[in-house]
Amino acid sequence: QVQLVESGGDLVQPGGSLRLSCAASGSIFSINTMGWYRQAPGKERELVAAISTGGSTNYADSVKGRFTISRAENTVYLQMNNLKPEDTAVYYCNADIKSVRSSGFWTYWGQGTQVTVSS
């Protein structure tokens, strides 16, 4: 069984920083792309950033220059700087993972972590 567990969400003032972490565990054979999504109240879930196995990154326009995605082993990170109230959302990580017993890659999701930006 494969699990993704996020951590790092918190209440922070505008202009502040947070670092989110997401660790994949279980019977993992290989991990492809890993990414972060977010969902604000009343809005659809949207891609924030993604990173490939080769390190290529992709960011939403709204976070370019403020957020940085990185990965190490089975963990993906999201460094968020200069946070704004509009960044308030539940942040979810996801990853395309091939488990030991699977014949292909499946997309897994974490449970989400709340980020609130408010003074």
Side-chain angles (χ1 to χ4, degrees):
Q1 190 172 357
V2 174
Q3 277 189 317
L4 297 179
V5 178
E6 301 114 331
S7 62
D10 205 346
L11 169 64
V12 63
Q13 292 186 345
S17 297
L18 281 177
R19 190 191 195 207
L20 305 183
S21 300
C22 173
S25 63
S27 303
I28 297 171
F29 179 80
S30 180
I31 301 178
N32 200 347
T33 299
M34 305 183 81
W36 288 95
Y37 287 71
R38 67 186 180 186
Q39 188 166 20
K43 294 188 177 181
E44 294 186 353
R45 190 174 297 189
E46 63 175 357
L47 174 68
V48 176
I51 184 167
S52 70
T53 51
S56 296
T57 58
N58 180 38
Y59 294 94
D61 288 342
S62 59
V63 306
K64 284 181 180 176
R66 300 188 298 121
F67 291 11
T68 303
I69 189 170
S70 61
R71 62 190 288 176
E73 298 293 336
N74 292 351
T75 302
V76 62
Y77 304 95
L78 187 67
Q79 178 65 44
M80 305 185 293
N81 298 327
N82 190 23
L83 282 160
K84 303 176 181 181
E86 51 263 43
D87 294 318
T88 296
V90 177
Y91 283 71
Y92 300 89
C93 74
N94 85 341
D96 294 331
I97 297 173
K98 184 180 185 303
S99 66
V100 172
R101 297 186 177 185
S102 173
S103 60
F105 285 85
W106 293 84
T107 299
Y108 292 84
W109 290 88
Q111 81 285 355
T113 185
Q114 177 70 47
V115 172
T116 302
V117 185
S118 175
S119 55

